[in-house]
Amino acid sequence: MYSLNDVVMMKKAHPCGANSWKIIRMGADIKIECQNCGHVVMLPRREFDKKMKKVIESANED
Ligand SMILES: [Zn+2]
């Protein structure tokens, strides 16, 4: 699972060359911010679930 402020890797890297994104909003839509260039992308949760590869850094350790 993932939660707000987690850093995740997507199946496809961002065109800027980086592939680490921070989850900055969670709801019906999920907003992620590229940790390299700051580009923000909003995806419906279902699509995010399909495109997310793994959590790199978990905000809450539990
Ligand atoms: Zn980027």
Side-chain angles (χ1 to χ4, degrees):
M1 271 308 282
Y2 49 86
S3 55
L4 189 66
N5 294 319
D6 282 0
V7 178
V8 300
M9 182 182 282
M10 305 303 280
K11 285 177 182 158
K12 256 190 186 170
H14 193 230
C16 78
N19 197 350
S20 73
W21 302 79
K22 189 178 212 171
I23 300 174
I24 57 171
R25 195 201 126 170
M26 293 253 290
D29 294 320
I30 292 182
K31 226 184 221 184
I32 53 175
E33 182 184 52
C34 177
Q35 293 300 276
N36 182 49
C37 70
H39 184 75
V40 173
V41 174
M42 192 159 81
L43 298 163
R45 187 181 284 251
R46 197 179 310 149
E47 205 178 319
F48 177 82
D49 287 346
K50 260 190 266 169
K51 292 184 173 171
M52 202 265 280
K53 194 170 177 189
K54 63 173 181 179
V55 175
I56 301 169
E57 206 182 300
S58 190
N60 321 305
E61 300 294 332
D62 53 3

